[in-house]
Amino acid sequence: MISVQKLARLALKQWPFFVGHNSNQWEPINRVRLGEYHTVHREDGTIYPDMFWYDPTYKYARPVSSGDISIIVKSIKYVITRLGKLDRKYKDTLIESLLRYVRAFDEQNQNTAVMRAWGALECVAAPNESNCDSVTRRCAFLFDEHEYHKQILEDVREYRNRNVHAGEESKVAKNHGFQIQRYFKKLLLFHIHNAGNFDEIQDANRFLDLPTCKVSLLDNQKIIEKALKFRGYVA
């Protein structure tokens, strides 16, 4: 089950009424984060058991405010409704990716945040795949300036790979985090807005694998039509 906290973070940070981000190098990117103390409560509101959990990595965050809370509520309801239209496995994949995404940007170490955020992007763009080109190709498909965004994504991916394999860290890791944030938002909203148009996430990703060039798309259409006729599926 996806929590309201996660959806609130997405709404506050990623919807059209974007409220800004933390630019301090050691400040987590997320503005909406868990507090310093965690408790579990009974149905009547009392704490169960009579104890609390303390987060030793807690970093103070100033309270977040929005001009119109009704917009946030409306956005959260919209996401929940659209998720309800998806196949269970498809929905679980998106929820898992969102959980990984918000947890990644709770990190104070920006190099770690980038690693975890890229994993969240992979969770949606290439679930259970080992093709390293799929993520950049499918995310770039969503933009008019396809090649430009593909180059940015390749740069982030190469940094991520250097970090994983050689332990390389970057002073501009937070910039990479903001870039991943942008592409994750675009990709997730693509799936949310198109809920019901694809039976499963693999179908959506096959759509994102299509060429962006009109001529190439029309050529593919002609080939498919010929194949259908050859097989006798159409007159």
Side-chain angles (χ1 to χ4, degrees):
M1 178 66 68
I2 189 169
S3 72
V4 172
Q5 177 202 20
K6 270 64 178 181
L7 288 174
R9 291 184 189 182
L10 180 69
L12 280 168
K13 291 182 59 54
Q14 301 294 355
W15 241 259
F17 47 91
F18 180 73
V19 295
H21 53 255
N22 294 313
S23 58
N24 182 291
Q25 180 62 29
W26 296 105
E27 185 80 7
I29 287 178
N30 278 341
R31 294 188 64 192
V32 180
R33 303 196 296 272
L34 291 174
E36 187 174 8
Y37 301 97
H38 305 170
T39 57
V40 177
H41 297 256
R42 300 183 179 89
E43 291 184 1
D44 63 3
T46 58
I47 297 177
Y48 176 83
D50 294 329
M51 61 182 294
F52 62 85
W53 287 263
Y54 168 72
D55 182 2
T57 65
Y58 171 75
K59 179 78 174 180
Y60 172 75
R62 289 178 295 180
V64 176
S65 61
S66 176
D68 189 348
I69 193 68
S70 65
I71 299 178
I72 298 176
V73 173
K74 182 179 180 180
S75 296
I76 291 175
K77 288 182 177 179
Y78 172 77
V79 173
I80 293 174
T81 299
R82 301 299 291 180
L83 287 173
K85 296 179 180 294
L86 298 174
D87 162 82
R88 176 62 181 272
K89 187 176 181 180
Y90 194 163
K91 179 175 69 174
D92 287 349
T93 298
L94 295 187
I95 291 175
E96 173 63 21
S97 71
L98 181 56
L99 293 175
R100 294 175 65 174
Y101 166 80
V102 296
R103 288 168 180 162
F105 291 123
D106 278 346
E107 288 281 350
Q108 295 182 50
N109 185 312
Q110 299 306 314
N111 290 281
T112 301
V114 169
M115 300 303 102
R116 299 183 68 179
W118 186 264
L121 194 61
E122 285 183 326
C123 183
V124 184
N128 304 314
E129 294 183 28
S130 57
N131 186 347
C132 59
D133 295 327
S134 297
V135 176
T136 57
R137 182 178 65 251
R138 291 168 182 168
C139 289
F141 181 89
L142 299 170
F143 296 86
D144 292 335
E145 297 178 333
H146 171 264
E147 288 299 327
Y148 169 75
H149 290 282
K150 188 175 181 180
Q151 288 301 314
I152 294 177
L153 285 156
E154 283 293 340
D155 182 59
V156 177
R157 182 175 71 85
E158 289 174 3
Y159 158 71
R160 176 263 182 193
N161 290 344
R162 292 194 301 271
N163 186 290
V164 170
H165 300 298
E168 177 179 321
E169 296 191 350
S170 171
K171 293 181 180 180
V172 295
K174 198 162 194 174
N175 293 342
H176 292 319
F178 289 134
Q179 289 169 335
I180 295 174
Q181 189 181 70
R182 178 183 186 184
Y183 295 115
F184 183 90
K185 165 199 169 181
K186 191 77 171 181
L187 183 61
L188 184 68
L189 292 184
F190 165 79
H191 288 284
I192 294 296
H193 293 326
N194 287 281
N197 291 338
F198 303 103
D199 292 334
E200 55 185 15
I201 196 167
Q202 286 77 11
D203 291 339
N205 283 334
R206 281 195 290 271
F207 173 84
L208 297 174
D209 282 333
L210 291 171
T212 56
C213 173
K214 180 180 179 180
V215 173
S216 297
L217 287 169
L218 291 174
D219 286 343
N220 283 358
Q221 182 182 27
K222 292 177 182 177
I223 292 173
I224 291 173
E225 289 173 350
K226 289 179 180 179
L228 289 170
K229 187 174 182 179
F230 178 81
R231 298 299 303 174
Y233 299 135
V234 295

